[in-house]
């Protein structure tokens, strides 16, 4: 069993493999030739690997920034970092997490096929992380191992169709279509940010972040790669000056001059963003046409829910605006915790970049530049305070120096943890069963509404047809034919 679990994990926690398999199946069921299937599958796989490589470059350039920030401002506390906390969780709950993840994907497909929530969650790595959180919460609630897997899988399947649905109204504004969804553990925070942007957009229009007007002599700033590199260079150098050259050169740069090191880090960050954008373009060009096969044959009208970088190409300037605004929200939230004397959640730079950038793009599509700032700032506050509230429901894991970072962990983790605190295992089971019932109730109501609209739309045609039939019966000739009174 352990060997099987290891193989499944090797396959299904790799988003590139999952999406490539989806592309292969989609193209094959459309009856494409061997050459087209092979080309589409390989391009999808390579595109996702390019995207992942870019994300790795970005993460590698942000890690030193986090260390400098803590050194510069003498901040110690719990760091929201998914990889760090999952590594601890897997020591005790690894098998349960893997099984929840696997069976949760099956339930995701079943729910997508039988409800109006047509989302197939393809971000395998973050889906595995949230499966690990469900395993912890259910185990802390006292469930037997088999029950942890059973109810955890149901929770996982529900999560995988609900989370993309929260942000889809805003995704339609970004992409201009309903063909692709956002599948990431930051969905609820991004949706909250989009809602804040929508509610505060005011009467006056706000220009897009992509319409920034630069003087002729500064026209080079129109290039996204240039503006990202220069902006990050300023940020790195400011924080680096506070951290001090001795610390940077002894702990981070291996003796390299700290200014040179920081400038190269900024350029590396920009290079990572450039690579991400290139990978996203390839994936979008391949996965959406291929996914039509899945939609037509397996799950009618299915939508792929993909990782946050999928939105970056739609507003590259908003990516930077969103990151900075979200990080500012995190700093303000941290200062609030210091004032209140609670556990301090140190801003997780990676989480603020990934989800803050996406919130910036969503906010920009909703309310322009102002919306990008507001949306990302609200997301930054959310991913600062939600991890704080989540700590008590994680048992002993919650007392470690790392925790889950994105908003969905807080929202869905607190829902399960709150049910456990209110009524133990029975409350959790009832809550999950009711959640399933609500999904199908919403489906029933929406289908009834669609049928009513279809009937209303065809009513004029039906009346016209009936009038023609009456005319034929009365006169023996079609209505409006010579000798027939049309009235």
């Amino acid at each position: 069993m352990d060997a099987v679990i290891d193989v499944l994990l090797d396959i299904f926690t790799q988003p590139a493999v999952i999406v490539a398999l989806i592309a292969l199946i989609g193209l094959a069921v459309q009856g494409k030739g061997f050459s087209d299937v092979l080309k589409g599958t390989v391009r999808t796989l390579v595109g996702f690997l390019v995207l992942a490589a870019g994300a790795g470059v970005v993460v590698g350039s942000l890690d030193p920034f986090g260390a400098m920030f803590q050194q510069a401002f003498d901040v110690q506390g719990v760091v929201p970092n998914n990889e760090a906390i999952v590594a601890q969780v897997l020591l005790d709950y690894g098998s349960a997490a893997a099984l929840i993840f696997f069976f949760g994907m099956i339930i995701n497909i079943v729910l997508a096929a039988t409800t109006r929530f047509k989302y197939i969650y393809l971000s395998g790595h973050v889906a595995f992380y949230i499966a690990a959180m469900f395993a912890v919460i259910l185990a802390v609630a006292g469930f037997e191992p088999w029950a942890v897997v059973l109810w955890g899988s149901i929770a996982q399947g529900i999560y995988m169709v609900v989370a993309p649905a929260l942000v889809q109204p805003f995704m339609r504004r970004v992409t201009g279509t309903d063909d692709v969804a956002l599948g990431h553990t930051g969905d609820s925070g991004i949706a909250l940010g989009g809602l804040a942007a929508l509610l505060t957009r005011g009467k006056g229009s706000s220009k897009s972040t992509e319409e920034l007007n630069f003087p002729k002599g500064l026209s080079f700033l129109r290039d996204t790669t240039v503006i990202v590199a220069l902006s990050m260079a300023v940020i790195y150098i400011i924080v680096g000056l506070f951290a001090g050259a001795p610390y940077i050169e002894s702990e981070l740069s291996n003796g390299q001059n700290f200014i040179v090191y920081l400038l190269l880090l900024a350029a590396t960050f920009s290079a990572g963003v450039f690579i991400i954008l290139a990978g996203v373009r390839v994936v979008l060009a391949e996965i959406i046409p291929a996914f039509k096969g899945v939609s037509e044959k397996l799950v009618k009208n299915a939508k792929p829910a993909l990782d946050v970088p999928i939105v970056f190409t739609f507003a590259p300037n908003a990516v930077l605006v969103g990151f900075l605004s979200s990080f500012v929200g995190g700093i303000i939230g941290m200062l609030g915790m210091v004032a209140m004397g609670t556990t301090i959640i140190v801003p997780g730079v990676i989480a603020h970049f990934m989800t803050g950038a996406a919130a910036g793009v969503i906010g920009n599509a909703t309310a322009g530049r102002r919306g990008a700032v507001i949306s990302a700032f609200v997301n930054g506050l959310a991913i600062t305070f939600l991890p704080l509230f989540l700590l008590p429901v994680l048992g002993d894991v919650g007392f470690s120096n790392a925790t889950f970072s994105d908003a969905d962990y807080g929202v869905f983790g607190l829902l399960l943890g709150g049910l456990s605190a209110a009524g133990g295992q029975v409350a959790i089971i009832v809550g999950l069963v009711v959640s399933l019932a609500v999904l199908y109730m919403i489906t029933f109501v929406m289908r009834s509404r669609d049928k009513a609209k279809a009937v209303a739309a065809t009513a004029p045609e039906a009346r016209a047809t009936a009038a023609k039939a009456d005319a034929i019966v009365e006169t023996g000739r079609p209505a409006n034919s010579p000798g027939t009174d049309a009235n």
Side-chain angles (χ1 to χ4, degrees), residues 327-395:
F327 193 70
V328 169
I331 293 173
I332 291 176
M334 180 189 70
L335 294 176
M337 293 175 191
V338 172
M340 293 184 292
T342 66
T343 299
I344 297 173
I345 302 296
V346 179
V349 183
I350 307 303
H352 282 287
F353 173 70
M354 290 297 181
T355 64
V361 175
I362 292 288
N364 180 65
T366 304
R369 299 171 191 170
R370 180 171 61 246
V373 173
I374 292 172
S375 177
F377 181 80
V378 169
N379 173 79
L381 290 176
I383 65 174
T384 301
F385 283 99
L386 284 172
L388 175 67
F389 301 147
L390 181 66
L391 292 178
V393 306
L394 295 177

Side-chain angles (χ1 to χ4, degrees), residues 466-483:
K468 291 178 181 180
D470 290 342
I472 293 172
V473 170
E474 293 177 6
T475 67
R477 288 173 294 182
N480 296 325
S481 66

Side-chain angles (χ1 to χ4, degrees), residues 81-144:
N81 184 285
N82 295 329
E83 287 74 20
I85 188 67
V86 168
Q88 297 179 43
V89 169
L90 293 184
L91 295 176
D92 296 317
Y93 307 101
S95 295
L99 291 171
I100 288 172
F101 170 74
F102 176 71
F103 290 113
M105 288 186 65
I106 295 175
I107 294 174
N108 174 198
I109 295 171
V110 171
L111 291 176
T114 57
T115 72
R116 289 294 292 267
F117 295 81
K118 301 295 183 181
Y119 306 101
I120 306 295
Y121 202 100
L122 297 180
S123 301
H125 57 309
V126 291
F128 179 65
Y129 295 164
I130 206 161
M133 184 193 71
F134 288 147
V136 172
I137 294 174
L138 294 175
V140 170
F143 282 97
E144 294 293 327

